[in-house]
């Protein structure tokens, strides 16, 4: 439905867009942030909304026939099978505290599958991108997952859901289980970057619960295209609308599944 030529042109457009919006927001990141709360610990700043406005305007102008789903209450349905899935600022808690680990993520969904995506980290000027079946790239260079074979030699990353204070399915048991089995476990605070860092071999594996489609649309494609495996905790097909993501270099997928299934009751939002 979209030729490879068209996909490449579209990817070029969104890499330029994420870069210009990301650089613009990064320039303003030392300004005072007006923080409002979507939940007890779920923040949003005026810059999340500003980034979203710039992205939605640009996508709407150039691709008026495509729908847009974006985190801060944008859901534009055109009735067609193609839509953008946008996280205008992934890592808002970091951003609000001046911790420079955040990114902009845009994926293109075509008939429920992600066809292409880009994740841009303005702090490090790192652009991760992929087109389905055509590999994953970091700043134009092909990337690949790590070769680490064993869980005990692995560096893992995860995150915690915003209902951590209220829900028993808060990832704390899984976190402590991996902390004593892996070489180390990190919590960066940007799911999009967690997936991309696993794609380029900085991490060997990543798991998380209760994410939203915008957190993982582009990143999950980039990880897969870098040779990674992405499923739910039971090894079933990954769904960006689902409750679980397990993304690894492939080698440590089963060992990670064993640990997750040992401790994790199935999660439903
Ligand atoms: C959050 C980050 C974080 C993850 C949260 C996400 P946001 O996105 O990706 O790493 O643990 O679950 O919601 O709110 O900063 O866009
Ligand atoms: Ca997010
Ligand atoms: Ca966000």
């Amino acid at each position: 439905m979209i030729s490879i030529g068209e996909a490449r042109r579209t990817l070029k457009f969104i890499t330029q867009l994420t870069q210009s919006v990301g650089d613009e927001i990064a320039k303003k990141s030392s300004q005072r942030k007006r923080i409002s709360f979507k939940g007890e610990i779920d923040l949003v700043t005026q810059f999340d909304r500003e980034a979203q406005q710039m992205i939605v305007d640009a996508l709407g102008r150039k691709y008026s026939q495509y729908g847009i789903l974006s985190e801060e209450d944008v859901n534009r349905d055109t009735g067609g099978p193609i839509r953008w899935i946008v996280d205008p600022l992934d890592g808002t808690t970091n951003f609000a505290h001046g911790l420079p680990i955040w990114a902009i993520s845009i994926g293109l969904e075509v008939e429920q599958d992600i066809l292409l995506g880009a994740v841009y980290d303005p702090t490090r000027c790192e652009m991760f991108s992929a087109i389905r079946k055509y590999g994953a790239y970091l700043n134009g260079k092909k990337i690949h997952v790590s070769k680490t074979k064993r869980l005990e030699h692995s560096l893992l990353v995860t995150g915690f859901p915003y209902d951590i204070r209220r829900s028993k399915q808060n990832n704390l048991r899984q976190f402590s289980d991996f902390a004593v089995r892996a070489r180390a476990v990190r919590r960066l605070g940007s799911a999009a970057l967690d997936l991309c860092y696993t794609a380029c071999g900085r991490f060997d594996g990543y798991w998380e619960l209760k994410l939203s489609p915008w957190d993982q649309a582009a990143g999950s494609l980039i990880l897969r295209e870098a040779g990674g495996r992405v499923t739910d905790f039971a090894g079933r097909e990954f769904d960006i609308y689902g409750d679980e993501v397990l993304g690894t270099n492939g080698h440590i997928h089963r060992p990670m599944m064993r640990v997750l299934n040992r401790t994790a009751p199935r999660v439903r939002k």
Side-chain angles (χ1 to χ4, degrees), residues 71 87 89 92:
E71 181 172 6
D87 195 332
L89 205 165
T92 297

Side-chain angles (χ1 to χ4, degrees), residues 2-178:
I2 294 180
S3 69
I4 180 60
E6 181 59 22
R8 285 195 206 286
R9 284 189 289 279
T10 307
L11 184 66
K12 189 168 177 207
F13 180 80
I14 62 159
T15 55
Q16 286 168 345
L17 178 62
T18 51
Q19 185 165 4
S20 69
V21 172
D23 290 345
E24 180 74 26
I25 298 296
K27 264 195 251 155
K28 299 180 175 179
S29 63
S30 56
Q31 291 176 19
R32 208 177 72 79
K33 283 121 192 159
R34 286 195 304 278
I35 294 171
S36 40
F37 288 84
K38 297 191 275 183
E40 216 175 354
I41 54 169
D42 188 0
L43 318 180
V44 61
T45 72
Q46 79 270 34
F47 296 114
D48 295 68
R49 297 193 201 281
E50 201 176 302
Q52 174 167 280
Q53 195 65 53
M54 291 190 268
I55 293 167
V56 167
D57 286 352
L59 294 177
R61 266 196 307 274
K62 176 126 175 119
Y63 298 98
S64 54
Q65 71 279 29
Y66 297 171
I68 308 180
L69 175 68
S70 182
E71 181 172 6
E72 313 310 335
D73 304 319
V74 171
N75 193 353
R76 193 177 290 173
D77 185 3
T78 53
I82 308 182
R83 70 171 173 176
W84 297 106
I85 302 190
V86 178
D87 195 332
L89 205 165
D90 185 54
T92 297
T93 306
N94 290 345
F95 178 82
H97 286 257
L99 179 66
I101 304 176
W102 54 275
I104 294 187
S105 172
I106 303 182
L108 184 65
E109 181 185 60
V110 180
E111 280 161 0
Q112 277 120 55
D113 242 343
I114 304 301
L115 174 67
L116 55 88
V119 173
Y120 179 60
D121 168 3
T123 307
R124 289 160 200 81
C125 301
E126 289 192 330
M127 176 70 70
F128 296 89
S129 65
I131 297 175
R132 195 172 63 227
K133 298 199 178 114
Y134 287 87
Y137 291 81
L138 164 54
N139 291 347
K141 275 190 156 168
K142 205 155 189 175
I143 52 173
H144 208 273
V145 290
S146 72
K147 294 187 166 58
T148 309
K149 299 271 186 309
R150 298 171 68 96
L151 184 56
E152 58 266 40
H153 299 156
S154 298
L155 183 59
L156 305 181
V157 66
T158 190
F160 298 96
Y162 286 123
D163 63 2
I164 187 169
R165 297 180 182 178
R166 281 170 285 110
S167 170
K168 285 206 173 101
Q169 284 152 348
N170 58 11
N171 202 22
L172 288 171
R173 280 192 304 153
Q174 294 93 322
F175 182 80
S176 55
D177 260 28
F178 281 118

